[in-house]
Amino acid sequence: MKLKIGISCYPTVGGSGVIATELGKLLAERGHEVHFITSSMPFRLDRVYPNIFYHEVEVNQYSVFQYPPYDLTLASKMAEVAKRQKLDLIHVHYAVPHAICAILAKQMAGYDLKIMTTLHGTDITVLGYDPSLKDIIRFGIEQSDMVTAVSHDLVKQTCELIQTDKPIETVYNFIDERVYTKLEVEELKRHYDIAAEERVLIHISNFRPVKRVPDVVRSFAEIARHVKSKLLLIGNGPDLQVARDLVKSLQLEDHVLLLGNQKHIAELLSMSDLMLLLSEKESFGLVALEAMACGVPVIGTNTGGIPEVVVDGETGYLCEVGDIECVAHRALTLLEDEERYQAFSKKAMERVAATFHSQLIVSRYEQLYQQML
Ligand code: GMT
């Protein structure tokens, strides 16, 4: 049955926005009608797609309000779009505020609009600790018709932290395998002045403190003492300057390329040999999946959902948070043993195809939609 689906997410750079948008695009390819209800055009919606509609939430800045009423405007827009387009369901990404907005919209629309909420992590692992938000997160989860989370670890953490017995289904994240695949990039490597024999390490994030970018730079400093290599730092955020200062103080300026936010991640990954994802918290780690899809093994931290993505000793290695010595040692184990490296690279691609294939995951969401309806 073809459905009319509303999707709300944070449309800016970030894994949850990427997943929400890619899911919408793939659902539209399957013939469903998809309505994005967001504060700006999701950045992955980079051209016109059949079956996809965009409804902008315009938040007015009235001077009487200290804070712009985004949540209320979103709820009102959701209700308006639901009624006008006769939506079957609305799929929101993040319990707060999006699930709460959807609950309000359902009441305003006056019919049994179904609500699916997908938890991505930050709403639980950060906001869940805030006593002023805990009850409303629980309310958002319990009033949703169906709740999913992007890893088993996130399900466990949600149940423990929020103290709810609402069933939460794990639906893993996915990548578009037409985009994330190993590409031919010799020319690009030359463009960045990276010698053919040099090894390339890569870190991609929003440079929030939780990503522990200084650990990435310190691990690289140790790796570069043994293997001729370069580090690509991709992204932007609060710790970018911290990283820049550390690169300078460790005299690594000639070895670290800070490239800011980039659009063509598959090309940069294809140029890389190893990804470092050393976060303190990470409910899934979509960049690790993107790396593995391009044949890049990952050294990750043994935290949150990362162990569900990176299989220790097969598609990369896991180290405890902050254990820079372990990261450097594991990286060298791979970079100095070509046969082992190739085996890990192959296993990484195979794992993505077998467990995180977009068609598998989109079909799972479709099944859950039908179940909910
Ligand atoms: O990691 C971030 O800071 C961004 C955040 C987001 O909301 O986009 O990422 C969360 O959702 C991603 C997609 O499901 C996951 O891959 C990330 O692991 C998760 N981040 C955290 O849990 C810190």
Side-chain angles (χ1 to χ4, degrees):
M1 188 173 91
K2 300 291 176 241
L3 299 173
K4 290 181 170 221
I5 304 164
I7 295 184
S8 275
C9 63
Y10 283 121
T12 48
V13 185
S16 59
V18 170
I19 289 300
T21 314
E22 296 298 338
L23 175 62
K25 281 157 58 173
L26 291 168
L27 288 166
E29 277 180 26
R30 291 184 176 198
H32 301 290
E33 195 177 293
V34 176
H35 295 264
F36 282 96
I37 310 167
T38 47
S39 56
S40 60
M41 183 71 94
F43 78 105
R44 285 282 184 96
L45 220 53
D46 44 5
R47 62 174 176 84
V48 177
Y49 293 88
N51 290 340
I52 292 192
F53 303 87
Y54 165 57
H55 309 269
E56 187 170 329
V57 181
E58 278 176 274
V59 187
N60 291 323
Q61 306 270 358
Y62 297 109
S63 54
V64 292
F65 296 136
Q66 195 178 353
Y67 305 105
Y70 166 69
D71 309 354
L72 299 180
T73 315
L74 174 62
S76 185
K77 190 76 178 177
M78 281 174 171
E80 176 212 315
V81 174
K83 275 200 290 190
R84 186 161 29 89
Q85 304 292 342
K86 301 190 174 52
L87 297 185
D88 295 297
L89 66 105
I90 193 149
H91 187 168
V92 296
H93 297 260
Y94 268 48
V96 281
H98 297 152
I100 307 299
C101 300
I103 294 161
L104 203 52
K106 179 174 182 158
Q107 290 180 12
M108 288 171 74
Y111 71 96
D112 193 17
L113 170 70
K114 298 292 182 190
I115 301 170
M116 177 181 280
T117 296
T118 291
L119 306 173
H120 285 272
T122 313
D123 43 357
I124 302 303
T125 56
V126 178
L127 305 181
Y129 285 96
D130 184 335
S132 70
L133 290 172
K134 208 177 199 162
D135 286 347
I136 201 161
I137 295 173
R138 187 185 305 107
F139 178 77
I141 289 175
E142 289 181 349
Q143 295 297 310
S144 296
D145 293 286
M146 196 162 267
V147 182
T148 71
V150 297
S151 61
H152 292 296
D153 184 78
L154 185 57
V155 173
K156 189 169 154 273
Q157 278 203 55
T158 307
C159 295
E160 281 169 10
L161 234 122
I162 304 297
Q163 286 144 4
T164 178
D165 44 22
K166 174 94 179 171
I168 304 176
E169 185 86 23
T170 299
V171 183
Y172 282 143
N173 286 333
F174 60 93
I175 41 103
D176 183 344
E177 36 291 294
R178 292 167 296 190
V179 176
Y180 288 93
T181 177
K182 195 156 183 58
L183 305 167
E184 196 43 68
V185 286
E186 281 315 303
E187 185 63 38
L188 193 62
K189 218 169 159 180
R190 273 197 293 280
H191 172 80
Y192 282 115
D193 221 6
I194 301 173
E197 73 281 6
E198 260 182 317
R199 309 309 296 268
V200 179
L201 290 100
I202 188 166
H203 170 80
I204 307 174
S205 75
N206 50 19
F207 285 62
R208 288 197 293 130
V210 76
K211 304 291 175 181
R212 295 184 69 104
V213 185
D215 285 4
V216 172
V217 177
R218 287 207 173 88
S219 304
F220 173 71
E222 186 53 27
I223 296 162
R225 284 190 336 110
H226 300 272
V227 172
K228 200 166 175 252
S229 49
K230 289 254 158 69
L231 171 66
L232 308 181
L233 290 178
I234 316 291
N236 203 344
D239 272 359
L240 181 60
Q241 192 55 42
V242 177
R244 196 175 278 131
D245 292 346
L246 188 59
V247 167
K248 195 168 175 217
S249 76
L250 295 172
Q251 297 177 330
L252 288 170
E253 289 107 317
D254 294 340
H255 301 271
V256 181
L257 283 79
L258 290 123
L259 302 181
N261 282 333
Q262 292 280 335
K263 262 199 159 172
H264 303 286
I265 296 297
E267 292 183 14
L268 294 162
L269 286 170
S270 298
M271 214 167 83
S272 307
D273 296 292
L274 210 53
M275 164 165 282
L276 301 183
L277 182 65
L278 308 181
S279 315
E280 193 173 314
K281 289 177 177 177
E282 200 69 71
S283 64
F284 185 87
L286 188 59
V287 280
L289 195 60
E290 293 173 346
M292 283 162 52
C294 297
V296 180
V298 178
I299 312 286
T301 34
N302 189 14
T303 188
I306 296 180
E308 293 172 56
V309 180
V310 179
V311 181
D312 189 38
E314 276 187 31
T315 69
Y317 285 112
L318 299 173
C319 295
E320 295 311 315
V321 174
D323 191 348
I324 289 162
E325 218 175 285
C326 167
V327 174
H329 172 70
R330 291 312 205 181
L332 291 169
T333 307
L334 281 177
L335 295 176
E336 293 182 326
D337 180 345
E338 191 53 24
E339 204 175 310
R340 186 193 302 243
Y341 178 85
Q342 290 304 336
F344 273 54
S345 168
K346 186 164 170 277
K347 269 268 166 69
M349 286 189 277
E350 285 170 0
R351 176 159 171 74
V352 178
T355 312
F356 305 98
H357 196 284
S358 62
Q359 297 306 325
L360 273 177
I361 308 294
V362 175
S363 296
R364 184 69 194 128
Y365 276 120
E366 268 182 324
Q367 270 174 8
L368 293 174
Y369 292 158
Q370 299 293 356
Q371 212 170 300
M372 188 168 67
L373 290 161

